[in-house]
Amino acid sequence: MKVSRRSHVPPFAVMQVLATANERRAAGHDVLNLCAGEPSTGASDVVRERAAELLRTADLGYTEAMGVPALRAEIAGHYRRWYDVEVDPSRIAVTTGSSGGFLLAFLAAFDVGDRVALARPGYPAYKNILAALGCEVVELDCGPDTRYQPTVPQLMEAYYEGGLDGLVVASPANPTGTMLPPAELAALARWCEEHDVRLISDEIYHGIAYSADVQQATAAMYTGSGAVVVNSFSKYWAMTGWRLGWLVLPEELVGTVDALAGNVALSPPALAQHAGVAAFSAAGYAAAADNVARYAASRAALLDRVDELGWRPVAPADGAFYLYGDVAGFRDAVGGDSVTYCRRLLAEADVALTPGADFDAVHGGDWVRLSFAAAPDVVSRAVDRIVAWHRTL
Ligand SMILES: Cc1ncc(COP(=O)(O)O)c(C=O)c1O
């Protein structure tokens, strides 16, 4: 029987790295895993305690497709607290992770054949979900000259080439960690509004930022002009496996997303939603801030040793918890591109990194991504091992 053509999304190169890392660990090796894009801590105590209580006392049946009112109200409060932006809870859809949010937002906003632009390098699920939905992905080549973020001139070029229906941006971005300063986000949002292009803003790394001079701006300021915000409990609140995220929707998409959400998933996970309310308590924010302080310490230690690592250049890592570095200088020494670099590093020094090919099909062979969300001692031991391994090449 046939398998649909549109479901042919490419497998991630990191899956091979992870499979080998697991085999080596099972064989007794002390593998340092810096592939995973997730905090090592897990949810805060206040969320866990609430979940434990709910397991004993609540029925935890299906909820409203758009999420429980208490959580939607807390999310609206978060916009008031962090950004001084008023969002009516009726425009918030609670989703199954931001991944579920992307599916709903793309389905609601785009038709088959629509052209949607995004940055390359970037988080691969955007383009794979869009392709599976029959959209045409327009990759914008974003390098150090644009701080790995799309610009208005790039949008103009894509627009005049064949029209444009959407733009996906991420700030802080995965894998580069770079951020869009408020003026640049505003310029992109204005351009999108003027050209009838739907802006989708991935803000799941908000709150994880290291430099005071790059403020975080939310596209929730622009939902009146059609922008959609995607966010999640996975990163800042360290709740990856709870599968909880949200959308801030423009009015015209609310009914559509409500109907789609009910059909696709009935409701987001009930336990995660009810317990997720506690993430917005003072203790919830405090636990998240402690995590960010740890990433900041790991990042500072890592950046101190970048010269020693010999990756040139590295992306600025303004936010998120990734260091994206150019390892093209090691091509001859390792006998191949960054996939070979990662394979050999794992086999010879037990350090697992993600090859850049997963984020950039064109230049990714030169790049690797290191996640410093792991415990700080793991990150520093990994750098020791990488530096020592380079000497053996
Ligand atoms: C930029 C970005 N967006 C979205 C996601 C999806 O996260 P989740 O579905 O857990 O919210 C990830 C996961 O790593 C990511 O890096």
Side-chain angles (χ1 to χ4, degrees), residues 37-38 95-102 122-126 170-175 202-205 230-235 239-241 243-246 321-322 359 369:
E38 63 179 346
T95 57
T96 309
S98 69
S99 305
F102 278 109
Y123 178 59
Y126 310 138
S171 171
N174 175 8
D202 181 347
E203 303 185 355
I204 95 162
Y205 291 101
V230 186
N231 210 322
S232 176
F233 289 74
S234 290
K235 311 292 171 159
M239 291 171 61
T240 45
R243 308 314 300 131
L244 201 60
W246 74 83
F321 33 58
Y322 305 115
F359 312 103
R369 188 194 74 175

Side-chain angles (χ1 to χ4, degrees), residues 120-214:
R120 182 183 63 218
Y123 178 59
Y126 310 138
K127 68 172 186 205
N128 292 341
I129 299 175
L130 284 165
L133 294 177
C135 295
E136 186 185 333
V137 175
V138 181
E139 293 194 319
L140 308 173
D141 197 14
C142 297
D145 50 330
T146 69
R147 300 186 85 257
Y148 306 90
Q149 292 282 359
T151 61
V152 166
Q154 283 178 314
L155 293 178
M156 297 288 271
E157 199 180 320
Y159 183 81
Y160 286 112
E161 232 168 51
L164 213 50
D165 302 286
L167 167 68
V168 182
V169 293
S171 171
N174 175 8
T176 57
T178 62
M179 288 164 63
L180 286 166
E184 278 170 48
L185 180 64
L188 292 172
R190 199 175 321 115
W191 186 90
C192 284
E193 184 181 4
E194 283 164 11
H195 294 82
D196 216 11
V197 169
R198 176 84 64 191
L199 174 64
I200 312 266
S201 177
D202 181 347
E203 303 185 355
I204 95 162
Y205 291 101
H206 270 214
I208 308 177
Y210 309 103
S211 148
D213 61 332
V214 202

Side-chain angles (χ1 to χ4, degrees), residues 9-295:
V9 297
F12 294 153
V14 72
M15 296 320 282
Q16 187 54 51
V17 177
L18 277 173
T20 312
N22 290 339
E23 274 166 33
R24 292 184 70 78
R25 202 166 262 162
H29 291 260
D30 172 29
V31 176
L32 303 179
N33 186 346
L34 304 186
C35 293
E38 63 179 346
S40 54
T41 44
S44 62
D45 289 346
V46 69
V47 170
R48 289 169 196 260
E49 280 155 19
R50 182 76 188 116
E53 188 187 329
L54 286 161
L55 279 174
R56 282 193 306 273
T57 58
D59 68 5
L60 302 173
Y62 293 134
T63 72
E64 294 83 348
M66 295 282 272
V68 295
L71 185 59
R72 295 166 81 191
E74 285 295 340
I75 294 169
H78 179 68
Y79 280 90
R80 214 171 298 125
R81 223 169 282 132
W82 268 26
Y83 309 102
D84 201 16
V85 173
E86 274 308 317
V87 176
D88 192 299
S90 67
R91 292 199 292 111
I92 293 169
V94 179
T95 57
T96 309
S98 69
S99 305
F102 278 109
L103 184 61
L104 293 173
F106 292 166
L107 273 168
F110 304 127
D111 280 313
V112 170
D114 277 1
R115 277 166 52 88
V116 183
L118 39 77
R120 182 183 63 218
Y123 178 59
Y126 310 138
K127 68 172 186 205
N128 292 341
I129 299 175
L130 284 165
L133 294 177
C135 295
E136 186 185 333
V137 175
V138 181
E139 293 194 319
L140 308 173
D141 197 14
C142 297
D145 50 330
T146 69
R147 300 186 85 257
Y148 306 90
Q149 292 282 359
T151 61
V152 166
Q154 283 178 314
L155 293 178
M156 297 288 271
E157 199 180 320
Y159 183 81
Y160 286 112
E161 232 168 51
L164 213 50
D165 302 286
L167 167 68
V168 182
V169 293
S171 171
N174 175 8
T176 57
T178 62
M179 288 164 63
L180 286 166
E184 278 170 48
L185 180 64
L188 292 172
R190 199 175 321 115
W191 186 90
C192 284
E193 184 181 4
E194 283 164 11
H195 294 82
D196 216 11
V197 169
R198 176 84 64 191
L199 174 64
I200 312 266
S201 177
D202 181 347
E203 303 185 355
I204 95 162
Y205 291 101
H206 270 214
I208 308 177
Y210 309 103
S211 148
D213 61 332
V214 202
Q215 296 296 321
Q216 281 175 354
T218 174
M221 288 170 165
Y222 310 114
T223 40
S225 57
V228 177
V229 174
V230 186
N231 210 322
S232 176
F233 289 74
S234 290
K235 311 292 171 159
Y236 183 68
W237 282 281
M239 291 171 61
T240 45
W242 295 67
R243 308 314 300 131
L244 201 60
W246 74 83
L247 301 170
V248 181
L249 295 163
E251 286 295 348
E252 75 272 16
L253 293 185
V254 170
T256 310
V257 166
D258 193 351
L260 281 168
N263 280 281
V264 169
L266 282 175
S267 75
L271 177 62
Q273 289 189 71
H274 291 294
V277 169
F280 297 102
S281 64
Y285 280 111
D290 284 350
N291 283 344
V292 177
R294 252 203 348 276
Y295 310 145

Side-chain angles (χ1 to χ4, degrees), residues 291-363:
N291 283 344
V292 177
R294 252 203 348 276
Y295 310 145
S298 294
R299 173 183 176 272
L302 198 53
L303 291 181
D304 270 353
R305 299 185 65 186
V306 154
D307 285 345
E308 225 184 312
L309 263 181
W311 297 353
R312 280 188 205 91
V314 292
D318 304 323
F321 33 58
Y322 305 115
L323 185 68
Y324 196 54
D326 187 332
V327 295
F330 294 91
R331 265 183 190 258
D332 290 344
V334 299
D337 65 6
S338 61
V339 172
T340 310
Y341 180 99
C342 291
R343 189 176 43 73
R344 284 193 55 185
L345 176 65
L346 181 57
E348 296 164 32
D350 279 318
V351 176
L353 301 179
T354 306
D358 279 350
F359 312 103
D360 182 339
V362 177
H363 310 293

